[in-house]
Amino acid sequence: MTDRSLVHIAFYAALMAALGFMPPVVMPLAGGVPITAQTLGVMLAGVMLGPVRGALAILLFLFLVALGAPFLAGGRGGLGVFQTPSVGFLIGWPVGAFVAGWVMRLTGGMAILPASALAAFVGGILAVYAFGIPGISIMAGLPLVKAAYASVVYIPGDLIKVAITALIAQTVARGLPGALLSRS
Amino acid sequence: MISMYLQGDSWAHRLPAGLKLLAVALGSLILFHVSSVWIFTGCLVAVVALYATLGREGLAQLRLLRGIVFFVVALLAIHWLSGSLDEGVVVAMRLVVMVLAANFVTITTRLDDMLDAVLPLFAPLKLFGVSPRTPALGVTLVLRFAPHLMLVFSRLREAWQARTARRSSWRLLAPFAIQSLRMSDNVAEALKARGGSAGLSSSP
């Protein structure tokens, strides 16, 4: 891994941390899993960095959280968060970033705006929920259907994040094309 | 450094970080297969007692539970409605005990010590031609970048407020992305000029 890659990975991990300082909205419905800006970071890391570096950025971020940095939304952090029902989502994040980056690769011929929206949707929503819902189900002892039902409230917020991701990718592709590493 | 660490010199602070991590990992594995309310009551008393040994400031750390209060209440409600309240109580107690135990390790271990304890796990990176110190450098970079990113954003927001009298806007995202990405390019150049990750010491 080159030093340049390391800096890029650290950059998106730090972006995740900065997003975590934006105030979260806690939804009691889905068992207290808070709505945060942080999945935006997951989508951006995958779309901008590509699959491997995108996933590594999120893993580095989670590593810091596990070491005790209070970087998750609402100032949460430490080993305790890996024991809560949100853990499925935390595991889904690096996978989601990987999938988003992978979709970016596959859609190499498509214009940036639709390609990054598709990548953010498939990676940041489908892949993340594929881990998050079973996580709630296992940790809370609830059937899958109920856990899924409780998670639906987050979808509208996630769709807004998909749109923001696509806009940022489009802007960066124009203003600083070298930074869209998934396409270079 | 930004951390949840609680300053102190108790017995728990002096235990090696690796031992504490191992204990909490084994504890969660075992507790996942326990389903007796009595055992969990005992565990709960024991784990609160652990916090009590740190003194009043230690007990104040129980406020970390605030984050999962919503969840515990919702969990009990859902289980109650589906007629499985007994199971709900067990799941909720397990959750509280495991979160408290894991956080106990976090508040009694310095971030640097935690890092040193887990770095040997990265030794296999050498097989892939990556320096095992890379994760430590990554951690250092993140801790430096995160406040800087917030600074870049707050500067943009202040400029925006001065011009428009509005607080914030999605329009700031584009200049924020470009400015901060350019900053990361500069850091990459600087790192390369100083010999790269191989030439740096791992202490943050």
Side-chain angles (χ1 to χ4, degrees), chain A residues 69-95:
Chain A
F71 282 169
L72 286 178
R76 295 174 312 135
L79 294 166
V81 295
F82 294 94
Q83 310 277 17
T84 66
S86 318
V87 66
F89 288 96
L90 299 185
I91 296 170
W93 281 355
V95 181

Side-chain angles (χ1 to χ4, degrees), chain A residues 1 3-4 6-8 10-11 14-15 26 28 31 64 67-68 77-80 83 85 139-142 146 164 171 176, chain B residues 4 21 28 70-71 74-75 78-79 82 91 95 98 102 106 114 134 137 142 145 149 173-174 180 184-185 189 196-197:
Chain A
M1 179 167 54
D3 296 326
R4 194 169 207 84
L6 177 64
V7 171
H8 286 133
F11 175 84
L15 184 67
V26 174
L64 267 140
L67 288 178
L79 294 166
Q83 310 277 17
M139 297 300 281
L142 292 171
K146 268 188 187 150
I164 295 176
T171 312
L176 204 63
Chain B
M4 299 168 75
L21 285 172
S28 6
F70 273 121
F71 175 74
L75 183 67
I78 296 174
H79 273 288
S82 10
V91 171
L95 178 73
M98 297 207 306
T106 302
M114 200 87 94
T134 307
L137 179 59
V142 176
F145 275 164
L149 288 180
L173 288 173
S180 52
S184 83
D185 269 351
E189 296 290 336
S197 54

